[in-house]
Amino acid sequence: MSYTLFYAPGAASMAVHWMLIELDVPFEAVLVGIDSNQQRNQDYLRLNPTGRVPTLVVDDTPYGESVALMMLLAERHPGSGLLPEPETAQRAEWLQLTLYIANTLMPAMRDWLYAAKDGDPKGAAAVKALAEKRISSVWDDFEARLLRGKTYLMGPTFGTVDMFAIMLMRWSRHMGCAATARPVLRSYINHICALPSYIEVNEREGLSGWPS
């Protein structure tokens, strides 16, 4: 197996980068300079026509979309424990929760982050306000899970949904609905951010200051 990850620090590639570290598999990481628009150059667009990160080249074939890449990696490394076994109740719950995060939380995050860029700047405040309501509703759901005695979002076992969720919680750090403002989520965040793999991905990507 060979892996090459094209990433940008703290972007949607972060969870995939983290997962590769957690899996303890060899991989190459290639920085894509978002600030200099490298994701739009022709070499990169040949790998990923959407012009986004991440791109993961798996055995010479490029793939995109962070959730899909995490699912692919989990299935290629079934002994990792990061994905529930097929045909179990936990697998059905994992699929539901993964798609909920991908289809509800991530789009709301993008709406907030790109409100003025993707739409009319005059309406950006309203878009951000609606996005924060949607994000807060997901935080409510996460808190309810954790208040039922779960250490992680799926229960006693750390997995892909936690990596994806933590990445997006980090994105909320400058929002009025920051996840760290909620004590239950703050405790969950602090616990996971003490994991060696999380510390390592931050060091590799040059990130600091969260949670603080």
Side-chain angles (χ1 to χ4, degrees), residues 7-61:
Y7 78 99
S13 52
M14 183 181 183
V16 182
H17 198 173
W18 182 2
M19 187 172 179
L20 287 164
I21 293 168
E22 182 71 28
L23 289 171
D24 194 26
V25 295
F27 68 95
E28 180 184 359
V30 179
L31 177 65
V32 178
I34 298 295
D35 292 341
S36 58
N37 225 27
Q38 287 183 4
Q39 77 277 16
R40 295 293 178 185
N41 71 38
Q42 290 305 307
D43 287 340
Y44 187 75
L45 290 173
R46 277 191 283 271
L47 293 173
N48 190 331
T50 68
R52 295 182 178 181
V53 293
T55 296
L56 183 67
V57 179
V58 180
D59 299 336
D60 299 323
T61 302

Side-chain angles (χ1 to χ4, degrees), residues 55-118:
T55 296
L56 183 67
V57 179
V58 180
D59 299 336
D60 299 323
T61 302
Y63 300 96
E65 297 297 329
S66 54
V67 174
L69 295 177
M70 296 176 79
M71 294 171 72
L72 174 63
L73 286 169
E75 289 180 348
R76 285 170 65 89
H77 301 276
S80 68
L82 297 174
L83 185 73
E85 293 296 321
E87 300 180 8
T88 63
Q90 291 78 18
R91 182 62 167 258
E93 182 187 5
W94 169 85
L95 183 59
Q96 175 181 285
L97 183 55
T98 298
L99 292 180
Y100 173 60
I101 295 171
N103 293 340
T104 302
L105 181 56
M106 198 167 192
M109 290 282 183
R110 289 192 59 85
D111 285 348
W112 193 97
L113 291 165
Y114 298 100
K117 182 178 179 181
D118 290 350

Side-chain angles (χ1 to χ4, degrees), residues 191-210:
H191 175 66
I192 291 181
C193 291
L195 294 175
S197 57
Y198 181 80
I199 293 170
E200 183 172 343
V201 74
N202 276 265
E203 290 174 347
R204 289 189 183 215
E205 297 198 0
L207 303 173
S208 62
W210 189 88

